[in-house]
Amino acid sequence: MDKRLQDRLRRLMNTSQKEILKGGKKGIEKESLRITLEGKLAHTPHPRSLGSALTHPYLTTDYSESLLEFITPPYSEIQETLAFLSLTHQLVYHHLERELLWATSMPCAVKDDSSVPIACYGRSNVGKMKHVYRRGLGYRYGRMMQTIAGVHFNYSLPEGFWPIFKEQEKNTQPLQEFINEHYFCLLRNFQRLGWLVFYLFGASPAVCKSFLKVRPEGLSEFDPGTYFLPYATSLRMSDIGYKNKHQTNLDISYNSLSEYVAGLTHAIETPYPPYEKIGIGGHHQLNTNRLQIENEYYSFIRPKQVARSGEKPTLALKRRGVQYVEVRALDVSAHDPLGVNEPQLRFLEALLILCLLKESLPMNAEQRRTADHNQRIAACCGRDPHLELQTHGQARFLRDWAQEICDEMTGVCKLLDQGDPQRPYAKALAIQQEKVLQEEKTPSAQILAEMKQRQESFNEFAMRLSKNHAEYFKQLPLKEDQLQYFAGLAQQSWQQQRAVEAADNIPFKEYLARYFAQR
């Protein structure tokens, strides 16, 4: 265990405020494809009864009109976050007609790019911008890649933690500068250690052949309809998923807030010849630069600040600092109706705190490439018992490093469990330690074993679970006041969309020019 981590844990243990790490805000964004009862991508519009996808706070769409996104408010208690997520799933099933939510990250059978409907957000300038951005993603990376679903975990440390931690560090910076600096320490360490999330929670070891058309080198045939990798944990986060060759040379620095903002701004303002060939004509994309906007950067963890209406995310960060981090590394957990579970989120919270408290030196370009390498091979080969990762210029077995990280988390879990005799964080850690020792207990291994035992293709496996999850939510009671609350939200969201559209007083071209001119 590194000395800085030991010292910080000791000081936090000895503070008079024993529950100093409790109460951090936890939020979830979870994507799910809508499919027909036959297991095909739904081509119906986003259900109008759910509200406006542009303005509804909790139910929207991601890339496709068929890709629902569930958003929870940030809660201090994980159970509250999951309860709200469950409620929105119950509501969606109350309104869906002859459709299901797909249970996995990798998509159902998709015919081709043209069969994926791009999400629409109305006729306002901001709605058009969201739609054109998605059109650009389709031209740049293909629409089918955008049908991959995931779970994003949003987390912020308790507000009361920061002044105490700052005092313990004997730091004289303004508080927000101190917060920014240490969130970036967390981000760098998560870049170094986040491969562990793929090993423990990766749930996409196989994919329908329709997604790839031609078998990539290295993938094996599981059955006539399925490709897989025998030791894969998360094909979603591998080179066939969200890792994209066009972004490999962006090399965005996480050494400070200013370097991060500068790197993203440079990418958004730098022309890129392959995208110049696509052109702007007919609103093919927002621009021909390396990134259209910040969200296009496929990082598996991001610093975040809530942006105001029309404000660029980089400017929100620059003006008000880091408010929380968004972890984008989680596959949809196929066997959980919600796509995520409580022990998983408790472990992830403890891992993020560990990343904050550990020594976190700046990373140079070579170290960032090493971190990316470790992430890639953990995603495609993480359960290989002989797999080695790179750290400090040396090879190290994944299993040994994973065990060390879990051991270091013991003190963090003890702090998080203060005052709770049930010790939920220690229990969550113990569950994951079992997976480190026994790879067959990982979700990816269990999925392949189940498919083999039941002689199911990937599509048959996912379809069976999709139907099971639908029955689960349909049997949960929805109270009348809950239905009325969401009906009111839906109606309000449509009123808000109409107000946004009525307020537009400049052409779309000028709107974009003003947006990108923000400094």
Side-chain angles (χ1 to χ4, degrees):
M1 186 183 296
D2 71 54
K3 187 176 185 302
R4 177 159 295 189
L5 175 61
Q6 287 180 319
D7 290 344
R8 286 172 168 171
L9 284 172
R10 176 180 49 79
R11 289 197 297 266
L12 291 170
M13 288 284 188
N14 292 332
T15 185
S16 58
Q17 298 190 29
K18 296 300 182 184
E19 299 184 1
I20 187 172
L21 286 176
K22 287 197 169 184
K25 297 292 188 181
K26 279 82 68 173
I28 292 290
E29 301 166 40
K30 185 246 184 175
E31 301 152 357
S32 291
L33 280 174
R34 285 188 295 110
I35 62 166
T36 68
L37 297 182
E38 294 73 40
K40 298 178 181 179
L41 191 67
H43 289 128
T44 51
H46 179 67
R48 185 173 180 83
S49 57
L50 294 180
S52 163
L54 178 69
T55 55
H56 198 290
Y58 309 125
L59 292 168
T60 183
T61 51
D62 193 81
Y63 176 80
S64 173
E65 194 75 359
S66 310
L67 187 56
L68 266 170
E69 183 172 358
F70 299 81
I71 303 169
T72 76
Y75 288 104
S76 298
E77 296 295 332
I78 285 174
Q79 295 98 325
E80 291 181 294
T81 306
L82 292 175
F84 190 92
L85 186 62
S86 178
L87 183 60
T88 51
H89 278 71
Q90 293 168 247
L91 179 83
V92 165
Y93 269 113
H94 182 78
H95 289 278
L96 283 188
E97 295 182 8
R98 297 186 58 77
E99 291 179 353
L100 304 170
L101 299 178
W102 191 243
T104 64
S105 277
M106 302 309 284
C108 59
V110 181
K111 183 180 179 182
D112 53 31
D113 268 10
S114 65
S115 69
V116 179
I118 299 175
C120 295
Y121 299 94
R123 57 183 176 84
S124 67
N125 282 328
V126 65
K128 290 176 185 175
M129 182 176 176
K130 289 169 73 72
H131 179 75
V132 174
Y133 165 62
R134 285 157 173 77
R135 290 186 71 179
L137 294 178
Y139 280 111
R140 293 174 177 215
Y141 313 113
R143 294 189 189 184
M144 288 175 64
M145 194 191 90
Q146 309 300 322
T147 62
I148 300 173
V151 175
H152 300 172
F153 178 58
N154 299 323
Y155 179 70
S156 62
L157 274 295
E159 288 185 14
F161 163 81
W162 290 110
I164 295 171
F165 185 49
K166 181 175 179 290
E167 182 179 353
Q168 290 181 349
E169 293 291 295
K170 297 181 171 57
N171 187 281
T172 58
Q173 290 173 289
L175 181 60
Q176 187 58 56
E177 288 184 18
F178 176 82
I179 292 172
N180 294 341
E181 180 179 309
H182 284 83
Y183 267 129
F184 271 84
C185 289
L186 180 160
L187 292 163
R188 289 195 299 277
N189 274 335
F190 196 83
Q191 291 281 350
R192 296 177 173 112
L193 308 181
W195 52 263
L196 180 59
V197 175
F198 302 161
Y199 175 82
L200 294 174
F201 305 121
S204 53
V207 61
C208 178
K209 284 186 177 181
S210 69
F211 181 75
L212 296 170
K213 306 304 181 185
V214 177
R215 181 169 70 184
E217 184 178 352
L219 259 68
S220 302
E221 185 178 89
F222 184 87
D223 62 28
T226 308
Y227 289 132
F228 83 116
L229 280 174
Y231 294 120
T233 60
S234 178
L235 292 181
R236 166 181 168 264
M237 297 302 293
S238 74
D239 287 337
I240 71 166
Y242 276 127
K243 295 289 184 181
N244 191 280
K245 64 181 180 180
H246 293 287
Q247 296 192 9
T248 54
N249 296 320
L250 286 179
D251 197 29
I252 304 296
S253 171
Y254 282 78
N255 287 340
S256 68
L257 175 57
S258 60
E259 288 184 41
Y260 177 79
V261 168
L264 279 180
T265 302
H266 178 72
I268 293 167
E269 296 176 351
T270 302
Y272 189 51
Y275 300 155
E276 289 179 319
K277 291 180 181 178
I278 297 169
I280 298 288
H283 298 313
H284 291 329
Q285 51 188 341
L286 294 176
N287 55 52
T288 59
N289 299 333
R290 298 204 64 160
L291 298 177
Q292 297 175 89
I293 57 176
E294 294 88 337
N295 287 353
E296 189 174 340
Y297 180 49
Y298 292 120
S299 172
F300 78 159
I301 187 169
R302 292 174 176 168
K304 299 282 283 190
Q305 168 63 249
V306 175
R308 293 165 183 161
S309 177
E311 184 181 40
K312 291 199 294 188
T314 45
L315 283 183
L317 279 170
K318 190 175 179 179
R319 291 165 175 167
R320 297 185 296 283
V322 183
Q323 184 177 1
Y324 63 97
V325 294
E326 177 191 32
V327 178
R328 301 156 52 82
L330 290 174
D331 286 352
V332 176
S333 179
H335 286 99
D336 289 298
L338 287 175
V340 67
N341 61 64
E342 183 180 331
Q344 182 181 28
L345 296 184
R346 290 193 185 278
F347 178 90
L348 193 54
E349 180 181 2
L351 178 61
L352 289 170
I353 293 172
L354 177 76
C355 289
L356 174 77
L357 299 179
K358 279 178 68 68
E359 179 80 46
S360 183
L361 298 174
M363 298 174 74
N364 60 32
E366 180 60 32
Q367 290 166 334
R368 288 194 288 272
R369 283 192 289 271
T370 298
D372 287 342
H373 165 79
N374 287 342
Q375 294 162 23
R376 283 195 302 272
I377 62 172
C380 68
C381 315
R383 287 182 291 104
D384 183 343
H386 305 295
L387 180 64
E388 293 181 328
L389 304 181
Q390 296 294 318
T391 177
H392 304 300
Q394 296 181 330
R396 186 169 188 193
F397 285 117
L398 179 148
R399 302 286 180 84
D400 293 342
W401 196 357
Q403 187 59 60
E404 179 184 287
I405 296 168
C406 289
D407 290 343
E408 288 182 323
M409 289 175 63
T410 303
V412 175
C413 291
K414 185 175 180 181
L415 276 168
L416 288 166
D417 280 334
Q418 289 271 14
D420 190 337
Q422 299 300 316
R423 300 174 63 241
Y425 288 91
K427 290 178 180 177
L429 176 60
I431 292 171
Q432 309 317 322
Q433 286 175 311
E434 287 185 9
K435 296 179 188 175
V436 174
L437 296 174
Q438 302 175 66
E439 64 87 16
E440 65 272 15
K441 292 190 175 183
T442 59
S444 53
Q446 291 182 331
I447 287 170
L448 291 178
E450 189 171 319
M451 287 169 57
K452 183 177 181 181
Q453 190 268 327
R454 298 178 70 104
Q455 296 185 315
E456 288 179 322
S457 67
F458 167 74
N459 260 25
E460 290 167 339
F461 163 82
M463 190 65 186
R464 173 172 56 84
L465 290 184
S466 301
K467 291 177 179 178
N468 290 347
H469 296 347
E471 289 305 311
Y472 169 83
F473 287 116
K474 288 176 180 178
Q475 290 174 11
L476 294 178
L478 262 175
K479 298 177 182 177
E480 185 60 33
D481 62 333
Q482 293 170 331
L483 285 170
Q484 290 179 359
Y485 169 71
F486 278 102
L489 275 182
Q491 184 178 13
Q492 183 181 9
S493 72
W494 284 115
Q495 292 170 348
Q496 290 171 333
Q497 177 172 325
R498 287 191 290 270
V500 170
E501 292 171 345
D504 277 348
N505 56 11
I506 57 174
F508 181 55
K509 185 177 180 180
E510 184 178 345
Y511 175 84
L512 286 184
R514 291 186 185 183
Y515 178 87
F516 287 114
Q518 291 180 74
R519 290 291 185 271

